[in-house]
Amino acid sequence: MSDEDDLEDSEPDQDDSEKEEDEKETEEGEDYRKEGEEFPEEWLPTPLTEDMMKEGLSLLCKTGNGLAHAYVKLEVKERDLTDIYLLRSYIHLRYVDISENHLTDLSPLNYLTHLLWLKADGNRLRSAQMNELPYLQIASFAYNQITDTEGISHPRLETLNLKGNSIHMVTGLDPEKLISLHTVELRGNQLESTLGINLPKLKNLYLVAHWVRGWCREEGTVLGVRMPAF
C-alpha cells in the first residue's frame, strides 16, 4: 500500500450532518463577501455606543473577587460598527460576539483580561493580533482579510478559526505558548505550505482541498495526523 493510500485512509468520512454543516458555513462565507461587495470601500464611522451595550449585554455573574456582579456576555452583531473603543471599560466581559460589522481594529479587546470566548467573523480585519489574554479558549476570525497568523499567543486557547481569509503562510504560532490549542480551522485561505503548524496538542486541522503529488486531500477533519508540507 502506498503512502498516498495511507493518508487517504486516515481521514474519516463525513456523515450527513457534517456535510450539511460544511455547506452552511460555505453559504455564510459567501453571504459575508456578497455584503462587502454591495458597499463602498470606506464606511461611515459607527462607534459602539452605551445604548448598543445595554441592548447587547446579558448573563449577570459574580466578578472575579466574588464581591460584585457584572454582565459578562455581549452580542453586537450586524451593527455596522467601525469602532469598539467603548469596550475598554467593560473589563469583566467573558463572551463577546462582534461579528458581521466593519471592524479593522481589535485593540480595545486587550483590556478584557477575563475573556473566554470571542467571535469576530465577517469584519474587515487584516490581523488577529492581540495582547496575550490569559483565559481566552475559543477565538473565531472567519471571513475577514487576515494575511498572517502572527500575534496569536493566548496560553489557554483551544480552538482557533481563521476560515475564509487571505493567509498564504502560517507563521508565529509558537508551540511553547499555544500549549492548549487542539483545533485549527484554515479552510478558504491560499495556503502554500503547512510549515509553521507545529502544535503539541493539535488534534483537528481543517484545510482547503489541495492536490498533493497527484492526489486530492478533501476538506474535513484530520485526527492525530501530522500534515505533510507541500
Side-chain angles (χ1 to χ4, degrees), residues 137-179:
Q137 298 174 21
I138 298 175
S140 183
F141 307 97
Y143 307 113
N144 279 278
Q145 301 170 13
I146 295 171
T147 58
D148 61 58
T149 53
E150 296 287 341
I152 301 173
S153 58
H154 317 293
R156 298 192 182 184
L157 188 64
E158 297 178 355
T159 300
L160 174 64
N161 187 352
L162 290 165
K163 175 188 286 190
N165 281 284
S166 302
I167 300 168
H168 291 269
M169 296 289 293
V170 176
T171 58
L173 297 185
D174 188 341
E176 295 185 1
K177 291 184 177 180
L178 296 170
I179 56 175

Side-chain angles (χ1 to χ4, degrees), residues 122-135:
N123 281 283
R124 300 173 66 82
L125 302 172
R126 295 188 179 276
S127 173
Q129 184 167 358
M130 293 186 294
N131 290 352
E132 184 177 301
L133 297 174
Y135 302 111

